Every structure is written in C-alpha cells, then in structure tokens.
C-alpha cells in the first residue's frame, strides 16, 4: 500500500473526531453561558460514536495483522500508536466536557474577560 493510502483512514478519523470534539465544546460553551445547546447533542453523539467505532475497527485490524504475522512496525505500528493516541485524547476531552456539561448551571459559570 502506498504511503498516503495507509494513513488516509486515520486522517479521515482525525477530521471526524475534530468535528465531534468541536460540537462537544460548543455544547459545553452554550450550556455554561446559559444558552440552549440541546440541538447539538444528537450530532455530537453520532459523530463521536461513529468515529470511535471506526478507530476501534482500525485498531482491531492492526492487531489482527500482528497476530497473523504481517505486521510492519513502520506502517502498522505507527498507525496503531496514532489511533490509540486519538482514542485516548478523545475520551479524555469528552469525559471532561461531559462533566462540565452535566454540572454546569445555566449562566452561573460565565467567565468574564
């Protein structure tokens, strides 16, 4: 497989993950500033679930390559590291935002600059 073709699925997953995280951040921002952001919950959840499942499938396929003996570290190993890093960072950001989203009192935590 060519260089760009091996990294392209992870690039797509990173883009979709970024959109899910932006929707999450917007929902938290709207909630903290006292505005309604409920219209973001469905697309935010959908984007996050779809992207995480794509990353899980990618990790699974790489692990199967490792088990099958066709694992090449410079291709598959780097993809595995990137996929696991994306998944870890996404879960950390979403869990932090979820805590803020649930505990935010509408308009009470507004930060003024």
């Amino acid at each position: 497989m060519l260089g760009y073709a091996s990294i392209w699925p992870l690039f797509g997953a990173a883009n979709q993950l970024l959109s899910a995280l932006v929707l999450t951040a917007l929902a938290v921002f709207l909630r903290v500033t006292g505005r309604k952001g409920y219209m973001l919950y469905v697309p935010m959840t959908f984007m996050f679930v779809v992207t995480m499942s794509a990353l899980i499938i990618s990790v699974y396929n790489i692990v199967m390559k490792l088990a099958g003996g066709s694992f090449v570290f410079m291709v598959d190993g780097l993809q595995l590291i990137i996929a696991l890093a994306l998944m870890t960072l996404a879960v950390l950001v979403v869990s932090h935002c979820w805590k803020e989203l649930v505990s935010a009192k509408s308009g009470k935590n507004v930060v003024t600059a």
Side-chain angles (χ1 to χ4, degrees):
M1 196 175 341
L2 297 173
Y4 72 90
S6 63
I7 198 72
W8 190 255
L10 290 179
F11 177 73
N15 278 337
Q16 288 181 340
L17 190 57
L18 181 62
S19 69
L21 294 178
V22 166
L23 288 171
T24 305
L26 285 173
V28 170
F29 173 77
L30 291 174
R31 173 73 178 184
V32 168
T33 57
R35 299 180 214 161
K36 295 179 182 174
Y38 60 87
M39 73 292 267
L40 297 175
Y41 295 169
V42 172
M44 168 183 67
T45 305
F46 179 77
M47 288 297 294
F48 184 73
V49 169
V50 167
T51 306
M52 290 301 286
S53 40
L55 286 170
I56 289 169
I57 291 170
S58 294
V59 168
Y60 176 78
N61 289 336
I62 293 169
V63 169
M64 287 298 110
K65 281 185 179 182
L66 180 62
S70 62
F71 183 83
V72 177
F73 179 76
M74 289 304 290
V75 176
D76 301 317
L78 294 176
Q79 286 181 8
L80 181 62
I81 291 169
I82 292 170
L84 290 174
L86 285 172
M87 291 170 61
T88 303
L89 292 172
V91 167
L92 289 173
V93 169
V94 167
S95 67
H96 178 71
C97 287
W98 179 255
K99 289 175 191 173
E100 290 294 322
L101 192 62
V102 170
S103 68
K105 307 288 188 261
S106 296
K108 303 290 184 199
N109 297 337
V110 176
V111 177
T112 57

